[in-house]
Amino acid sequence: MPRILIVDDHARARESVARALESTGYRVHSCASAVEGLAHLKCHTCDVVITDLQMPGMDGLEFIQEIVRLAISTQVLMVTAHASVGTAVEAMRLGAFDYLEKPFDIDRLESAVASACSQGRIVTGEHRGETVGSSDRSMVGESLAMQSLRRQISQIGRTDETVLICGESGVGKELVARSLHMASSRAGKELVSLNCPVLSEQLTESELFGHRRGAFTGADADRVGRFELAQGSTLLLDEITEINLGLQAKLLRVLQERTFEPVGSSSSIQADVRVLASTNRDLRQEVARGRFREDLFYRLNVVPIEVPPLRNRREDIPHLAAHFVAQANARLGGPPRELETNAIELMVDYHWPGNVRELQNVVTRACVLADRESIAADTLRPWLEVSHETPQPPTEPVVPLDITLADLERQVILATLERHAGHRARTAAALGIGLRTLSGKLRTYGVAPRERALEDAA
């Protein structure tokens, strides 16, 4: 369960934010000052810190500086009623993940916190302020696959080319992106990232390009987008397949022309940004299914990097396990835990569908629950024995778990259209929707209308 720390000198503000986050499953702790917040962070691990800007004594910007100086691993969200472009950029430069302007709605708060939690879980544990060398060393493993990956990062990192990072969930795509950034000439500035799956279409566009006051309902002030925050730096678009087709067209234009307009503005801004994109899907298949623009795929796929799954580099598992045990020992304190040989052997035999992220979770869980200093295979076996079960084929059609409702609707509509030989009136009747509704959806999918003579003849 993610842990959130709220730092605000106004009790009512702390309580309202805490209630909102606790209702969605977060564990929340509150502090009335930055000094109190630092004391808490020195003793407890937090996934996200939500801090006010204006506070007596140490303000929010000074608080962020102290968090970075003390190398405390957490993501920071700045909350302020005194928002300005300068404040936002300064907060991000100092190490904040994002900022929120008061008053903000609950949906915006939850989206920002979810995104911060996701970005904070860099699977091999790198921290802010690392040098290129230390970031490289956090990519634990000496297998041939990892040696090849490090060579690619070293070679590609020093260029400004767009990179498409592919790999299964949990393999460490975010770490590869950070390592590419740290190996580049842009390493002096903070890597800016956007976790695409956690935001709605409107929020994603605003997060990418920013917006002007009054651009849409709830846009009460100007907001700086990620492209503007990443000027002179690197922007990571995490799980880019979650961006819809309409927004993909706008992103393609930015990559081609290197300019963008905030939502609600007609003024263009130059984009001096290196773009990295990651995905856990096969983009060629997404293109073939009509869910991803082919021209955007080629624009992103300038230099592809494939991050290997953990099952293809099992010789790295003992090193990774030791790395995560050391991290857990540092966080938990007390007598240091260690893995027995039979526990390591069990982990090497496991197939790790969740990759490095799953390995880290299992090791951390074992360290937390261990009742003695050595951790034996019996402690881990209940969490890993599922790997020995033979998957049974489903007895009836099953909808893929990773498909969105919009994707499923699109597949049904296009399949029905094909079954009726492209006849839109018959397709609409079969689907039980109006012809105008069907035509609007097909325009969204990029399906050109047939010639009217053909439609009438059918």
Side-chain angles (χ1 to χ4, degrees):
M1 182 184 299
R3 291 148 295 187
I4 313 297
L5 174 64
I6 302 170
V7 180
D8 197 315
D9 58 315
H10 295 288
R12 185 173 298 178
R14 294 196 306 270
E15 292 167 3
S16 63
V17 173
R19 282 197 302 270
L21 294 177
E22 286 172 343
S23 68
T24 56
Y26 294 105
R27 291 172 54 188
V28 180
H29 183 82
S30 299
C31 294
S33 70
V35 172
E36 185 182 340
L38 281 175
H40 180 82
L41 288 170
K42 290 176 182 177
C43 302
H44 303 87
T45 300
C46 288
D47 297 279
V48 178
V49 174
I50 303 174
T51 178
D52 195 17
L53 172 63
Q54 299 290 346
M55 295 183 290
M58 184 186 300
D59 67 17
L61 293 178
E62 293 170 326
F63 183 34
I64 294 174
Q65 288 177 297
E66 282 299 296
I67 289 174
V68 174
R69 186 182 69 81
L70 296 172
I72 297 172
S73 181
T74 189
Q75 298 289 335
V76 180
L77 293 175
M78 172 72 74
V79 177
T80 176
H82 309 272
S84 68
V85 172
T87 300
V89 172
E90 179 66 8
M92 300 287 284
R93 186 187 68 79
L94 292 174
F97 173 76
D98 202 351
Y99 72 99
L100 298 168
E101 301 171 21
K102 295 179 181 178
F104 51 83
D105 58 35
I106 298 303
D107 289 341
R108 171 68 185 124
L109 172 67
E110 292 178 357
S111 292
V113 171
S115 184
C117 285
S118 175
Q119 294 299 322
R121 296 301 186 185
I122 303 298
V123 296
T124 46
E126 81 280 12
H127 302 286
R128 284 191 181 97
E130 288 180 326
T131 64
V132 176
S134 63
S135 176
D136 220 34
R137 285 195 299 271
S138 67
M139 298 183 66
V140 176
E142 294 302 325
S143 63
L144 292 177
M146 286 305 292
Q147 292 179 39
S148 174
L149 181 60
R150 276 194 283 264
R151 283 194 299 271
Q152 290 181 69
I153 290 172
S154 176
Q155 185 175 3
I156 299 167
R158 56 178 175 263
T159 73
D160 254 359
E161 298 300 328
T162 302
V163 180
L164 180 61
I165 307 168
C166 303
E168 298 175 6
S169 293
V171 294
K173 297 187 292 295
E174 301 95 335
L175 176 58
V176 170
R178 187 169 295 276
S179 298
L180 285 166
H181 172 66
M182 295 303 294
S184 74
S185 60
R186 300 171 181 262
K189 295 190 176 183
E190 189 77 12
L191 171 70
V192 177
S193 59
L194 179 65
N195 189 23
C196 301
V198 302
L199 300 174
S200 67
E201 175 183 351
Q202 187 181 65
L203 281 176
T204 301
E205 184 173 5
S206 175
E207 288 291 338
L208 280 173
F209 309 123
H211 65 248
R212 295 294 178 254
R213 181 178 180 180
F216 50 84
T217 302
D220 300 323
D222 290 354
R223 179 172 179 80
V224 178
R226 300 301 169 98
F227 267 99
E228 191 167 353
L229 287 169
Q231 290 284 27
S233 187
T234 306
L235 174 62
L236 168 63
L237 301 176
D238 191 22
E239 299 304 342
I240 195 169
T241 51
E242 301 301 322
I243 296 179
N244 68 25
L245 290 168
L247 199 49
Q248 287 176 28
K250 296 180 180 180
L251 179 58
L252 175 64
R253 178 176 173 271
V254 178
L255 295 176
Q256 289 175 332
E257 302 179 10
R258 294 294 169 179
T259 62
F260 65 93
E261 292 86 37
V263 180
S265 172
S266 58
S267 299
S268 295
I269 299 175
Q270 287 294 127
D272 175 21
V273 178
R274 183 193 192 180
V275 174
L276 309 177
S278 73
T279 179
N280 60 12
R281 300 187 188 182
D282 185 330
L283 271 190
R284 294 185 185 276
Q285 289 186 9
E286 295 297 298
V287 169
R289 293 168 181 166
R291 297 197 296 225
F292 202 83
R293 292 180 63 105
E294 186 175 23
D295 46 7
L296 180 57
F297 166 67
Y298 287 119
R299 181 65 64 172
L300 292 170
N301 197 40
V302 177
V303 184
I305 289 182
E306 186 74 32
V307 186
L310 188 55
R311 62 182 174 275
N312 290 353
R313 54 182 187 105
R314 294 179 184 272
E315 58 267 47
D316 291 333
I317 291 175
H319 304 289
L320 283 163
H323 177 72
F324 294 137
V325 167
Q327 285 187 336
N329 285 335
R331 289 196 305 269
L332 298 173
R337 287 82 170 168
E338 61 180 19
L339 293 165
E340 294 184 7
T341 301
N342 57 8
I344 295 173
E345 291 172 349
L346 178 64
M347 287 191 290
V348 170
D349 288 339
Y350 183 58
H351 70 295
W352 299 108
N355 291 295
V356 182
R357 183 181 294 120
E358 183 184 8
L359 173 62
Q360 182 181 25
N361 289 344
V362 167
V363 170
T364 302
R365 186 187 312 155
C367 290
V368 169
L369 300 178
D371 54 6
R372 53 197 181 98
E373 295 178 17
S374 61
I375 300 171
D378 289 343
T379 302
L380 307 179
R381 189 168 284 110
W383 308 325
L384 306 184
E385 60 187 7
V386 68
S387 65
H388 302 299
E389 297 177 2
T390 302
Q392 297 299 316
T395 55
E396 58 185 26
V398 177
V399 176
L401 294 178
D402 62 343
I403 195 171
T404 66
L405 185 59
D407 286 340
L408 185 60
E409 179 188 71
R410 183 182 185 284
Q411 290 183 17
V412 171
I413 289 175
L414 294 181
T416 307
L417 183 69
E418 183 178 1
R419 188 165 63 247
H420 290 279
H423 196 295
R424 298 192 175 200
R426 294 174 185 170
T427 300
L431 292 169
I433 61 177
L435 181 58
R436 180 176 296 180
T437 299
L438 174 64
S439 297
K441 290 183 179 296
L442 291 178
R443 279 197 301 272
T444 301
Y445 304 154
V447 178
R450 300 197 314 167
E451 295 293 332
R452 182 167 299 278
L454 293 176
E455 185 83 6
D456 294 339

